[in-house]
Amino acid sequence: MPPSRSKIETLRLHGHRLDMIDQRVLPAEFRVESCTDAAQVAAAIRNMVVRGAPAIGVAAAYGVALEAVRQQDQSPKEFKSALERAIALLSASRPTAVNLSWALKKMSDKWHAVRHQSPSHIAQVLLDYAQTIHRDDIAINQRLGSHGEKYLNDGARVLTHCNAGALATAGHGTALGVIRSAVQAGKRLSVIADETRPFLQGARLTAWEMVQEGIPVTLITDNMAGHLMAQGEIDAVIVGADRVAANGDVANKIGTYMVAVLAHRHGIPFYVACPLSTIDMSIASGADIPIEERSAEEVTGFRDARWAAQGVSVRHPAFDVTPAALVSGLMTEKGVLLSPDHARLAAFLGQ
Ligand code: MRU
């Protein structure tokens, strides 16, 4: 399945098999990884075959559904414990993106609504429901994009960090979805993509997506953002999010906080594009968001290359927290919430 000009299919269900673009090897290779059970999907999430908060949620939903299909000939008791094990396994695959537990809760609730039916009936219901979550994510991103693009002027030079594009979602993207929607509305935008050390989501994935679609993109290393801002070369920043706390603090890819501080220093608007499923009102502030620590090997080198001194100790927090005070607005499918804080967020969500 080679990518078409404007349609990147991050995940695709073929019968009882989930195909996902392998995001570890892009753009050098375009490879597809196939999964037929929950353990394979959990490993694909853990190993970053699929990454990005909404995409992880959709993949996890399929993981539950595929396991249900695989276990549908078991007794109801065995089916139930297999599904519980699958949900626990998927839930433990990555900690920071709340979309994972959001999607698993949706699948669990759907299962419980039909729990007295036969395993094969439940499996079909769950498979249909995972496809609904998949389709909804694309529609949500398109709505988010059309709300958000109104905040970008024609000609804007927009800096983004990590990859919050089609590859990080079921399609269209969140931060890149806003950019796509602005371009579709006839605005001439250009993107400045932070490389995003150490996993290089910006250099490998954001740059690839933009090049695929002919949207002008310039790659910089992460430490160049401040200089470009000081030179007046950035008009706006848009990033995605892995979890937004009840007070509006935002967890996103490591380095986002640094960009937000710089944007504030230079008076540049800093927007966070995220579906409502990324907002976690059960978490009071960013201090309570679990931050994933990944392996030292991702910092000391890349693939087969190693550049760090042997014996050095390494820290690798994969996300950081940007305080709400640095966020100009949250762009969601419901509209844009400017200057988020606890009261404004609760009112926005009708809580
Ligand atoms: O470690 P990753 O690549 O899963 O991190 C992804 C990000 O931080 C994205 O910005 C975030 O998930 C939003 S994706 C629409």
Side-chain angles (χ1 to χ4, degrees):
M1 70 182 194
S4 66
R5 193 173 147 71
S6 61
K7 195 160 183 295
I8 294 163
E9 273 191 282
T10 308
L11 316 96
R12 188 195 277 181
L13 187 71
H14 287 275
H16 295 161
R17 188 187 85 215
L18 176 65
D19 284 353
M20 292 180 283
I21 297 175
D22 186 343
Q23 301 192 33
R24 297 168 303 181
V25 296
L26 272 175
E29 277 180 70
F30 188 88
R31 204 192 287 165
V32 169
E33 177 103 347
S34 298
C35 297
T36 53
D37 64 32
Q40 290 172 357
V41 174
I45 293 172
R46 199 168 40 250
N47 301 334
M48 311 277 280
V49 168
V50 62
R51 34 65 50 201
I56 291 172
V58 176
Y62 276 126
V64 176
L66 291 177
E67 193 63 30
V69 168
R70 199 168 80 95
Q71 305 286 347
Q72 64 184 341
D73 296 328
Q74 302 289 343
S75 70
K77 191 164 172 262
E78 282 165 353
F79 178 80
K80 177 173 180 287
S81 45
L83 224 50
E84 282 168 353
R85 275 197 308 277
I87 290 172
L89 185 67
L90 287 158
S91 168
S93 56
R94 287 191 79 190
T96 304
V98 72
N99 307 61
L100 178 69
S101 47
W102 174 89
L104 291 173
K105 174 151 185 353
K106 301 273 281 184
M107 293 300 283
S108 264
D109 291 348
K110 182 57 90 179
W111 170 27
H112 283 277
V114 293
R115 66 187 177 282
H116 298 304
Q117 305 284 337
S118 68
S120 61
H121 180 86
I122 297 172
Q124 190 54 52
V125 167
L126 292 179
L127 198 60
D128 290 346
Y129 195 52
Q131 288 175 276
T132 302
I133 291 176
H134 185 170
R135 276 193 302 272
D136 284 354
D137 186 59
I138 301 172
I140 285 167
N141 293 333
Q142 279 162 343
R143 287 207 298 280
L144 186 164
S146 62
H147 288 302
E149 69 88 4
K150 299 189 175 62
Y151 290 77
L152 297 179
N153 295 327
D154 186 26
R157 297 154 300 175
V158 184
L159 182 134
T160 190
H161 189 77
C162 193
N163 171 266
L167 287 166
T169 64
H172 197 66
T174 58
L176 295 189
V178 173
I179 288 163
R180 281 192 170 93
S181 295
V183 169
Q184 283 160 11
K187 292 176 186 167
R188 289 155 299 175
L189 295 192
S190 55
V191 174
I192 295 94
D194 274 353
E195 171 189 47
T196 319
R197 279 274 293 144
F199 205 69
L200 307 179
Q201 290 94 330
R204 298 189 302 104
L205 308 177
T206 294
W208 182 77
E209 280 196 35
M210 295 293 92
V211 168
Q212 292 293 308
E213 293 186 28
I215 298 177
V217 58
T218 301
L219 178 65
I220 60 170
T221 60
D222 302 336
N223 50 1
M224 296 175 187
H227 176 69
L228 263 60
M229 289 182 187
Q231 297 290 110
E233 293 184 39
I234 311 282
D235 300 304
V237 177
I238 308 185
V239 298
D242 287 80
R243 196 184 297 232
V244 178
N247 69 346
D249 289 352
V250 172
N252 191 50
K253 180 51 52 192
I254 191 75
T256 301
Y257 172 47
M258 190 170 69
V259 175
V261 170
L262 285 167
H264 188 254
R265 168 78 173 83
H266 294 283
I268 296 168
F270 178 90
Y271 296 110
V272 175
C274 62
L276 297 177
S277 54
T278 305
I279 300 174
D280 184 355
M281 294 301 277
S282 76
I283 291 238
S285 82
D288 303 320
I289 297 176
I291 300 293
E292 177 181 16
E293 291 267 348
R294 292 188 65 85
S295 74
E297 286 69 35
E298 288 177 2
V299 175
T300 53
F302 190 72
R303 298 205 184 119
D304 294 335
R306 183 187 164 106
W307 47 72
Q310 294 290 347
V312 69
S313 69
V314 171
R315 281 294 312 279
H316 185 187
F319 298 92
D320 60 25
V321 174
T322 297
L326 299 179
V327 177
S328 309
L330 293 178
M331 296 173 161
T332 77
E333 69 269 33
K334 199 174 173 184
V336 177
L337 176 67
L338 297 175
S339 308
D341 62 16
H342 190 284
R344 294 170 62 76
L345 201 44
F348 181 72
L349 297 175
Q351 292 181 3

